[in-house]
Every structure is written in C-alpha cells, then in structure tokens.
Amino acid sequence: MTLLDWLFVVGYLVFSFGIALYFYQRAGEDTSEFFLSGRAMPWWLAGTSMVATTFAVDTPLLVTEMVAQNGIAGNWLWWNAGFGSMLTVFFFARLWRRSGVMTDVEFVEFRYSGEVAAWLRGLKAIFFGLLMNILIIGWVSLAMETVIGRLFPDLTLFGQSAFMILGREISAALVVVAGLILMVSAYALLSGLWGVMVTDVFQFVVAMGGTIALAFFVLDMPEIGGIQGLHDQLPDETFHLLPTIGGAAEGAATFSLSALAFAAYAGVQWWSSWYPGAEPGGGGYIAQRMMSAKDEPNALFATLWYTIAHFCLRPWPWIIVALAALVLYPDLNEPRAGFVLVMKDVLPAGMLGLLFAAFLAAFMSTVSTQLNWGVSYLVNDFWRRFVQPDADEKHYVLVSRVLTFGVALLSLVVTLFLDTIAEAWGLLLSSSAGLGLVLILRWYWWRINAWSEMVATIAPILLTVSALILNAFGIQVPGLQAEFPLNLYSVVGFTTVLWLAATYLTRPTDPDTLDAFYRKVHPGGPGWTPVAKRHPDVEADRGLGRLALDWLVGVVLVYSTLFGAGYLILGWTVWGLACVTVAVLAAAFLWRDLQRDEISLFGAVEEREETA
C-alpha cells in the first residue's frame, strides 16, 4: 500500500463520517427517523441500500469459492432465491409499507392477538435482534479478517502479530476488524437509518466501482489474456451457467445435482426457509427498507431494483475475478482467498487502496445495517413493549444509541470465539424450513394465528437439532437426517403438519385484531372472505391473478437479465442478445402493466391513508 492507496482509504472514512454527522440532528428527532428515516425514502435510495447491505465483505470471497468448486453454475446455491425476492416485489412490498409498523417483529402483535402473540414478539426481538444479529456480524468479521490478513501478511500492532484476549490468541488482523466494528457503531448510532442508507449508496458505488476495475485489470494481465484466455485455460464446463441435473457432471468444475436436489433448491427452499435478506414474504432489513419508503409504489420499485441489481448485475465482476484466480492460483488450499490475492498481485498503486476501501465499504455497510436493524427490534419490540412503554421519543433514541454500541461490543466478544461457520448456511436454512409458508400465508389467510407462527418457528429448529443428536448416536431416521438440501422435504413436511395442527387446535385471532388489520392493510384474495363480509365498505386489493402473472414475468426478467449479462461478458454474443431481448420485452410488459393497473395494484394510496 502506497501513500496514494492510504489517501483513498482515509478519504473514504472521512466522507462516511461526514455523512453520519450531517444526519445526526435529524436522526435524534424520534425513533421513526432513527429506524425508518421518517418514511420518506425514494425507491432508488431504499433499493440501492438493500443491494449495498447484501454486498457483505464475505460475498465476493464466497462466490470465488463456489466458482472454484463448481464453476459458474455453483452460484445457483443463492441464485435460486430470485424466485422469492420477486414474489416479495409484487405480493408483499406494498403491504409492508401500508401496514405502518416500525419493524417486522412489531407486525406480530398487529396481526395476532393474545399472550402468545406478545411472547412471540418478545422472543423474536431477542432471537433476531440480538442472537442472530451478533452471529451475522461475527460471520462478516471473520471474512474481513481474511481480507486484512491476506493483504497485510506481516501486520503487527504495537510490535505484536497476535494478542491474548479472554484466553484466546487473536491475530492483529482481527484486532483491526474489532476497531472497525467500533468505528461503524459510532457512525450508526450518530446518524440512524438516514445516514446508514445514504452511506450505503456511497459505499455501493465505491464497492462496485472497485470490483469492476479489478475485473478489467486482471483480464488485461498477460497470464490471463482476456475472456478468450480464460476460455483457453479453463475447462469448458467451468463456464456452464446451469447445473447438471441428474447423473454425473462432465468435469470436476461442474455443479451437478440430482433431480431431487435441484427440485429442493428451485421448488422448495426459496419459499419455505428463512434466511437473512431472503425471508419469504420479505422481512428483516429488507422489510425495514420497504417500510421506510415514502409510499407504496416506491416500496415496490425499491424491491424490484434490488432484485435485479442483486441477482443480475452485481455478481459478474466477482465471477470474472474468481475465474482468473483459478488460472493464477490453481493449487490454492483456500479458494476463497483467491479474490484477495488477485487484488494484492494485480492492482497498481492507488487502485489497491480504492479496492481495499471497497472492502471496507462492503464490511461497514453490512455491519451498520445489522446494528440499526437489530437494535430496532430490541428498542421497539422489547424495550418499548415490555420494559419502558411510556417514555418519550428522546428516551428511546438515547436507548437506541446506547444499545447500538452495546450490541457492537457483544458482537466483538462473539467474533473472538468464532473459528469457522462451516455448513452454517445449510443448517440455518434447515432450521427454518417450513416457517416461510406461514410468513407468506399470514398476509393472505385470516386463520393463521400466533400459535401457527410460534410452532413453525420452533419446530424446524427442534427437528434439525434432533437430527444432529441422532446422528451423534448413530440412530437413523429416513429423510430427517438426509444432507441439505434433501432434508428440506422432511423438515418442511413435518413442520407444515405441526403448524396446521396448531392452527386448528387453537383459537383464531381475536376478531377485533383481524378487523383492524383488514381495514388497515385490506389484503385481497379468498383467504379473507369471512372478515371481508364484516367490512363491505373496505375495498380489498384486486387482481391477485394479475400479480401472479407479473411475478412470473418478473422471474423471466431476472434470469434473462442474469443470463444475458453473463453470455455477453463471456463472449457468447448471440445467446446474450437473445436473453437481453427477452429481458427487455419482460420489462416493457411489467412497466405497461403497472402503469395501466396502478389503482388495482397500489390502491388509491392517498384516499386509503386518509381513511386509515
């Protein structure tokens, strides 16, 4: 790193803190400003913030590892989530904005009634806002340690390369990461969501600009020789965009799936399992962005822009670098480190600092969002609900800032004791399998109650833990102990039977709660017929069949754009132009349909808000 490199890094940090200080006063007005930016966010800002948040520091490294192991098609392990993300665009984005809640955990008591609803809200606030949150921060912190450790292999602090902290030997790189987390917590507690989201846009531009520049630089190397050089030096199957379905793959670098495994990914996972940033029906920080939009159309278009950018455009610079890393470092023991080694060995002075700033941006964007989102649960759904319900807004803002710093400190402690998160992805998806269907149906079926969601939340966790315990004792239960994703069939099946039983064996949600929900959100479809009969004056959403068609066309838009960009970049022009043509036609259809049916899609927004 030269002086010019460090100037880029320092300039980025100064600008980020400048944004935080600029929004300090506004964020301190009330919790709506601190957590939802006053519900005044335009679609492009909210959508870009979603993309920036999911551009974690570990994602380029993970994509590099996927490509090294299974070729480009290995990305279908996360590309399949495009189905669910597009479902959120048309069926849930407008409903989240219309609901008026501050968090998706608050939604629990807005939709359900009784003590079990209060328990569910409190448990979800602690589980997601604290436990899950600090694990995610620990996850990305380990990835950032890898980046710093590879870029600065001789890094020392105060003359030491490692430190003993809480009985653990900690690398100097991880100590630097700890300092970065405290730095992020400082600007997150200063600026609230306004500062986080505006900084997200800046960080996204820096991160994407840096990775695109890296792709161009590595392709220009004599050892690579451009796209054609990659084709010449790597097996053809490495460039397949679709996995091999059934039977053995042609080569070691081809992603091969059995028909049942492919059906699990493409037909079960995306709607059945909860995962941060890919919750069925929307949720977490994605829901937070939708609820911060200034109206329903802005919430819909923010989620649409996020889906296209997240799945179609953002991965390709990473994939190109990952392919180049296979050529430059064919025998690398840790494939994900190939991305960082390309940075270190390829970039000239100045550009290395820019890309290091890009990784800082990716890291800080994710951590700041996790802190703001997680603390919104702890303050709004635990502290305000159960501890101090009658305080003023200044009190809650102060608690929010204190907890932001406290959660950051706690995440540091957890990070120190994390060695690896191997298989955590599959375990997390397995332990939430079946919950997704309840998260979807609670919007469109009145009979779903708090017990439905409670059982659907707990049952897959117990099933997954039971499978692990039975494995340890050598006891086999067919289906339940299958490897991910084949275990989804049994876990989703058992969980669905259990939550349906709980639904019909317990009392329905109180009619007054259902009536208030229906009058505020006015969801459409036959699932609300008994409630709709009590409120003939409420105009429910119409055209669910048209929304289903828009969803299908949206899925075509996402994957034709994804394939079109890939084919053009990889030099298959005819296929690329064909896919781009399909994408343009799909986009034109959606635009026309949304404009023509604006009333039925979005409702008479101003009139309904006045009525509510």
Side-chain angles (χ1 to χ4, degrees):
M1 295 274 284
T2 65
L3 176 61
L4 181 60
D5 292 311
W6 285 114
L7 286 175
F8 273 118
V9 173
V10 172
Y12 158 74
L13 294 173
V14 169
F15 190 80
S16 296
F17 268 90
I19 293 173
L21 292 173
Y22 179 81
F23 285 105
Y24 172 74
Q25 197 67 36
R26 182 166 186 171
E29 292 178 5
D30 55 42
T31 50
S32 177
E33 287 287 350
F34 193 87
F35 293 125
L36 290 180
S37 65
R39 303 184 193 270
M41 199 65 67
W43 68 269
W44 60 269
L45 188 55
T48 304
S49 178
M50 295 180 195
V51 186
T53 295
T54 51
F55 185 164
V57 70
D58 62 316
T59 43
L61 278 62
L62 182 58
V63 167
T64 302
E65 185 173 290
M66 288 176 176
V67 172
Q69 294 173 346
N70 296 303
I72 295 175
N75 286 281
W76 277 99
L77 291 171
W78 66 278
W79 278 348
N80 71 80
F83 291 94
S85 187
M86 193 57 73
L87 195 73
T88 299
V89 171
F90 294 106
F91 282 91
F92 301 104
R94 60 194 172 87
L95 299 182
W96 276 116
R97 179 58 181 84
R98 194 183 301 164
S99 69
V101 297
M102 183 171 293
T103 69
D104 59 320
V105 173
E106 180 185 342
F107 177 86
V108 168
E109 284 197 292
F110 176 48
R111 172 62 177 82
Y112 309 131
S113 61
E115 289 187 9
V116 66
W119 273 98
L120 181 61
R121 180 179 179 181
L123 289 172
K124 293 185 76 168
I126 297 297
F127 180 75
F128 293 112
L130 186 62
L131 302 179
M132 186 64 68
N133 200 23
I134 60 178
L135 282 175
I136 293 172
I137 294 174
W139 183 333
V140 298
S141 297
L142 288 181
M144 193 64 197
E145 180 192 17
T146 299
V147 172
I148 294 175
R150 288 284 181 168
L151 282 179
F152 309 101
D154 300 321
L155 177 67
T156 60
L157 295 173
F158 309 108
Q160 298 186 69
S161 59
F163 299 83
M164 290 299 297
I165 302 176
L166 298 178
R168 303 270 294 183
E169 185 175 270
I170 306 302
S171 69
L174 191 56
V175 174
V176 172
V177 172
L180 289 173
I181 291 176
L182 295 179
M183 187 184 302
V184 175
S185 71
Y187 83 68
L189 68 87
L190 285 173
S191 64
L193 189 61
W194 264 112
V196 168
M197 291 177 74
V198 173
T199 309
D200 275 352
V201 173
F202 169 61
Q203 290 167 338
F204 177 69
V205 171
V206 172
M208 281 305 300
T211 52
I212 290 171
L214 179 61
F216 275 104
F217 274 104
V218 75
L219 286 175
D220 197 44
M221 291 186 68
E223 296 91 334
I224 300 298
I227 293 294
Q228 187 57 50
L230 291 175
H231 281 288
D232 293 339
Q233 299 179 74
L234 294 173
D236 290 341
E237 55 267 19
T238 307
F239 298 91
H240 291 178
L241 269 61
L242 287 171
T244 300
I245 309 301
E250 297 175 11
T254 301
F255 189 30
S256 178
L257 290 173
S258 68
L260 278 175
F262 178 77
Y265 280 124
V268 179
Q269 178 193 317
W270 61 267
W271 59 262
S272 68
S273 294
W274 182 95
Y275 189 79
E279 299 89 341
Y285 50 79
I286 301 297
Q288 184 188 39
R289 267 57 175 175
M290 291 187 284
M291 291 183 287
S292 72
K294 60 183 178 181
D295 54 31
E296 292 172 29
N298 274 272
L300 185 148
F301 283 110
T303 317
L304 180 60
W305 159 237
Y306 155 71
T307 302
I308 294 172
H310 176 71
F311 291 101
C312 308
L313 306 178
R314 192 184 63 180
W316 285 109
W318 306 341
I319 291 171
I320 295 300
V321 174
L323 293 171
L326 283 177
V327 174
L328 295 173
Y329 318 105
D331 301 318
L332 196 62
N333 292 328
E334 188 183 13
R336 64 169 51 205
F339 196 99
V340 185
L341 292 177
V342 171
M343 290 170 51
K344 182 179 178 182
D345 296 340
V346 171
L347 292 176
M351 288 305 302
L352 180 58
L354 177 63
L355 201 63
F356 181 52
F359 268 90
L360 286 176
F363 176 72
M364 295 172 72
S365 171
T366 300
V367 172
S368 63
T369 289
Q370 291 295 146
L371 289 174
N372 186 271
W373 162 65
V375 171
S376 72
Y377 288 176
L378 297 176
V379 173
N380 187 68
D381 302 299
F382 185 78
W383 189 269
R384 187 200 295 261
R385 173 65 178 84
F386 299 103
V387 179
Q388 195 79 27
D390 300 319
D392 59 21
E393 285 298 313
K394 296 295 183 183
H395 168 82
Y396 295 126
V397 171
L398 176 61
V399 172
S400 302
R401 285 175 164 153
V402 171
L403 285 179
T404 298
F405 191 72
V407 171
L409 287 176
L410 191 56
S411 70
L412 289 181
V413 176
V414 172
T415 302
L416 298 180
F417 288 88
L418 282 177
D419 294 317
T420 179
I421 316 185
E423 299 180 356
W425 184 73
L427 282 173
L428 181 57
L429 291 172
S430 299
S431 61
S432 64
L435 170 61
L437 191 56
V438 172
L439 300 182
I440 290 173
L441 289 179
R442 64 186 183 176
W443 293 95
Y444 288 100
W445 186 26
W446 73 275
R447 192 60 179 83
I448 296 288
N449 62 18
W451 280 111
S452 309
E453 189 165 334
M454 179 74 84
V455 170
T457 301
I458 296 174
I461 297 175
L462 295 179
L463 288 169
T464 303
V465 171
S466 298
L468 294 174
I469 294 173
L470 291 173
N471 273 337
F473 286 96
I475 303 172
Q476 295 297 315
V477 178
L480 183 62
Q481 291 162 281
E483 291 186 2
F484 179 85
L486 294 179
N487 65 341
L488 290 179
Y489 293 110
S490 56
V491 177
V492 169
F494 282 131
T495 301
T496 302
V497 169
L498 290 172
W499 73 252
L500 280 173
T503 301
Y504 284 108
L505 291 173
T506 57
R507 292 175 177 269
T509 299
D510 182 79
D512 290 341
T513 302
L514 288 173
D515 291 347
F517 177 83
Y518 182 77
R519 295 193 67 85
K520 182 71 178 291
V521 180
H522 45 86
W528 285 93
T529 300
V531 181
K533 289 180 180 179
R534 299 199 295 265
H535 303 279
D537 58 313
V538 175
E539 182 184 354
D541 284 348
R542 301 184 303 273
L544 294 188
R546 178 63 64 81
L547 288 180
L549 177 61
D550 287 341
W551 169 66
L552 288 173
V553 175
V555 169
V556 171
L557 170 63
V558 165
Y559 291 110
S560 58
T561 304
L562 171 65
F563 282 19
Y567 284 137
L568 289 175
I569 290 170
L570 295 172
W572 295 313
T573 306
V574 175
W575 282 102
L577 291 176
C579 288
V580 169
T581 301
V582 172
V584 169
L585 292 174
F589 175 87
L590 288 177
W591 179 257
R592 182 181 178 187
D593 208 49
L594 291 171
Q595 294 297 311
R596 182 178 61 186
D597 291 342
E598 184 176 357
I599 297 300
S600 63
L601 283 171
F602 303 122
V605 177
E606 294 180 0
E607 178 183 342
R608 285 174 170 173
E609 286 183 349
E610 289 174 3
T611 302

